[in-house]
Structure formats: structure tokens, C-alpha cells
Amino acid sequence: EVQLVESGGGLVEPGRSLRLSCTTSGFTFGDYAMSWFRQAPGKGLEWVGFIRSKPYGGTTEEAASVKGRFTISRDDSKSIAYLQMNSLKTEDTAVYYCTRYSGVVPAARFDSWGQGTLVTVAS
Amino acid sequence: DIVLTQSPGTMSLSPGERATLSCRASQSVSSSYLAWYQQKPGQAPRLLIYGASSRATGIPDRFSGSGSGTDFTLTISRLEPEDFAVYYCQQYDSSPWTFGQGTKVEIK
């Protein structure tokens, strides 16, 4: 069974840093791209960033709203994806979800989601 | 950025009725990169449809997707009690990947 479990959320002051982890199991992590999304309280979904699998360069993309502050990385030996969040702002308050991306066109899809971890940025 | 506009914002229906949800894109989206999700309170989104019309694993056949270009539709043929939720469309054809604002399907 494919499982993704986010951790590392919590209450943090503006300007501080936090690192989220997405621990996975049930599939060959290194074969898949991973992505992070977030959802502010009572709001819709927003894409945060994406990391390709190593065979596709392991490169990353980030949304403009977090570019330069957030960094996505992966440790294929541990089957974990990370979201390093620096210079946090109050508007970064949200539930953060990690997802698996199955990228074979025409069947490309974000097919598995974690349960999410809440990040609250407040003083 | 591609803006996805979902309509209606809320629809009030009874179990057994048909629901038709619309997602309109500000520019053309490849059908291969259009998805629909269901989200219930306190839960993560659940993938329903990808590639505009392919059902994800385990999704009942009362859910169907259609459309191309800038107009996409999610249809629930006969609403079951567990289908009352918020539905989002998403495009991942062009970065930044974007979502519609959601359609809430509530019990009438």
C-alpha cells in the first residue's frame, strides 16, 4: 500500500524556518517525482513545488510565491521528500500536503496524497 | 498563469440526482494534464479523474470527466450520500500548476 506521511509542522514565528518531511512507503520512491501543495485555512489548493526523480535530473520547480524561500529536496535512500521553508510569512500558514506524481503521459497524475501537516506562522 | 474558473460555486442537490460541474480555463489546457479531486472536511484531496476523462483507481463509475481545450466537466451520474463534498479541478500542463476555486456539492 502506498503511504505518504508528512511531519514537521507546527507553530513558528514570522521570519523563522521549518523543515517538513514526507516519509513514504509501499513504492520505489526513486522512480517518482514528488510535489508539495498547500491549503490555507478555509481556502483552496495551491501548488508549492515539485522535484523530479533522479533519472530526470532531480531538478526542482517552485511557485513564485515561495521561490527563493522554500527548497524541495529528496533522499532516495530513505524514501523521504523534504520541504525546507525559510523566511516564513504569516501568509504561509496552511496545511501542507506531499504527493506522488506518476508522470507517464497520458496517465500523468498526482495519485497519492499524504494526510497533511499544519504550519502556523504567527507571533 | 492559467486561471481555472469553476461553476457553480455551490450546488444543492438531493441523493440520486445528477451533478454537472464545470471548469473553464483562461487558455487551452492539454487534456492529458487536467484532473479533478474530491475533498471532504479535514481530509486530503482525493484524485477522481486524470487526463480529463480517466478514472483513478477505485473511483466508482458514476464519476466521469469530459472536455478539451478550455472547457472541462465532471459529472456525477447519481449522487450518493458520500459524494457531498468540495470538488476541485487542476491543470498541470503549464507551470505554475493551478486549481479552480472549488465547487461545493451540498445536500438539498
Side-chain angles (χ1 to χ4, degrees), chain A residues 39 45 47 50 105 108-109 114, chain B residues 33 39 44 50 88 92 97 99:
Chain A
Q39 187 169 35
L45 295 161
W47 170 65
F50 179 81
V105 179
R109 60 204 185 273
Chain B
Y33 300 105
Q39 188 177 35
Y50 63 92
Y88 294 96
Y92 43 108
W97 302 328
F99 291 85

Side-chain angles (χ1 to χ4, degrees), chain B:
Chain B
D1 298 5
I2 296 178
V3 176
L4 299 180
T5 302
Q6 293 186 239
S7 61
T10 302
M11 54 194 332
S12 299
L13 296 168
S14 300
E17 290 194 291
R18 182 185 188 91
T20 303
L21 288 66
S22 173
C23 175
R24 180 160 290 178
S26 60
Q27 56 189 275
S28 186
V29 172
S30 167
S31 296
S32 296
Y33 300 105
L34 192 289
W36 289 91
Y37 298 87
Q38 177 193 69
Q39 188 177 35
K40 298 180 181 179
Q43 296 185 16
R46 174 194 180 196
L47 177 66
L48 298 176
I49 300 289
Y50 63 92
S53 60
S54 297
R55 273 187 300 277
T57 302
I59 301 303
D61 60 7
R62 63 180 181 273
F63 290 92
S64 63
S66 63
S68 64
T70 60
D71 288 293
F72 299 90
T73 300
L74 174 70
T75 302
I76 311 172
S77 59
R78 295 172 308 280
L79 283 163
E80 297 288 340
E82 61 269 27
D83 298 337
F84 292 92
V86 178
Y87 293 83
Y88 294 96
C89 60
Q90 178 205 24
Q91 69 80 23
Y92 43 108
D93 183 18
S94 174
S95 182
W97 302 328
T98 51
F99 291 85
Q101 82 281 13
T103 290
K104 182 178 182 181
V105 179
E106 64 178 23
I107 299 176
K108 185 174 182 180

